[in-house]
């Protein structure tokens, strides 16, 4: 399988439902990830395209994805809640040459733009991008515009989120994660900031199925190519149902009502 094949598996027709479950490395115990195997089985049953996880999780559970449409991406960035002022400094904990042997088909990396350690994280993303290129692996960028040194250009109604997507693209990422900015106009500016798929994040868990799906529907209509949504899914009381509803929105262009009815939400 070459890079194009792997990318098409993760983003069929350029669209994707990706569920990150890497949170346990940074924070634990947290709702939804105390039964990691159960969560992964639910996500596979729902037909999500990608599960993003740390390399140990991928090695241990990749067999659950065998024979399904779901693939695993290794997220190589880590910090923990115990690092004090260094908690936003995401370090790289592996190499792209581990991905295939561990059962993954892509790499993921995080940069906290505007943080004191931004330069080091950018350098790490650039290095991982180089490794991914030589191993024919898709690369995903989680670039968050949330550091204390953010310096938005005057008139930037995306609050640096368009710049974050652009940075991911310019560093070689094949897709990027962004946040819902609350309105179609600003989100459209983010979605068109780079010629790569932009997936919308979910934020903290709310358990509000209609609210989650309504936000995703608005983001899709404003130019998102899918979702990269963790806590809103793995901490949901109906993991498989909410994941299946997201698949319907992204891949079948369903309405919120159609998805909720079909998935018994």
């Amino acid at each position: 399988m070459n890079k194009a094949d792997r990318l098409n598996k993760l983003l069929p027709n350029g669209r994707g439902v990706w569920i990150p479950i890497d949170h346990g490395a940074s924070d634990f115990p947290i709702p939804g990830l105390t039964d990691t195997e159960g969560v992964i089985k639910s996500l596979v049953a729902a037909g999500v395209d990608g599960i993003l996880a740390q390399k140990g999780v991928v090695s241990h559970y990749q067999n659950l994805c065998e024979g399904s449409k779901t693939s695993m991406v290794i997220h190589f960035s880590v910090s923990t809640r115990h690092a004090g002022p260094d908690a936003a400094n995401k370090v790289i904990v592996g190499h792209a040459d581990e991905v295939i042997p561990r059962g993954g088909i892509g790499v993921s990396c995080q940069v906290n733009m505007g943080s004191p350690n931004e330069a080091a994280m950018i350098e790490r993303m650039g290095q991982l991008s180089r490794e991914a290129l030589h191993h024919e692996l898709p690369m995903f960028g989680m670039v968050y515009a949330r550091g204390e040194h953010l310096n938005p250009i005057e008139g930037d109604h995306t609050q640096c989120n368009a710049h974050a997507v652009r940075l991911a693209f310019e560093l070689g990422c094949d897709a990027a994660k962004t946040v819902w900015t609350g309105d179609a106009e600003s989100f459209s500016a983010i979605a068109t900031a780079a010629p790569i798929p932009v997936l919308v994040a979910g934020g903290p868990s709310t358990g509000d199925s209609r609210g989650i799906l309504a936000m995703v529907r608005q983001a899709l209509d404003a130019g998102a190519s899918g979702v990269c949504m963790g806590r809103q899914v793995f901490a949901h009381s109906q993991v498989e149902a909410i994941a299946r509803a997201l698949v319907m929105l992204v891949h079948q262009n369903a309405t919120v009502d159609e998805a909720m009815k079909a998935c018994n939400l």
Side-chain angles (χ1 to χ4, degrees), residues 206 208-216:
T206 63
D208 177 8
S209 301
R210 181 171 291 278
I212 296 165
L213 298 177
M215 181 275 283
V216 171

Side-chain angles (χ1 to χ4, degrees), residues 217-232:
R217 184 69 265 166
Q218 290 179 77
L220 293 170
D221 292 342
S225 295
V227 301
C228 183
M229 189 173 286
R231 289 167 292 177
Q232 293 281 31

Side-chain angles (χ1 to χ4, degrees), residues 154-177:
E154 185 176 352
D156 178 11
H157 54 300
T158 75
Q159 291 303 301
C160 302
N161 287 292
H163 188 186
V165 166
R166 185 73 188 195
L167 178 61
F169 163 63
E170 300 230 3
L171 290 179
C173 295
D174 299 291
K177 181 178 182 178

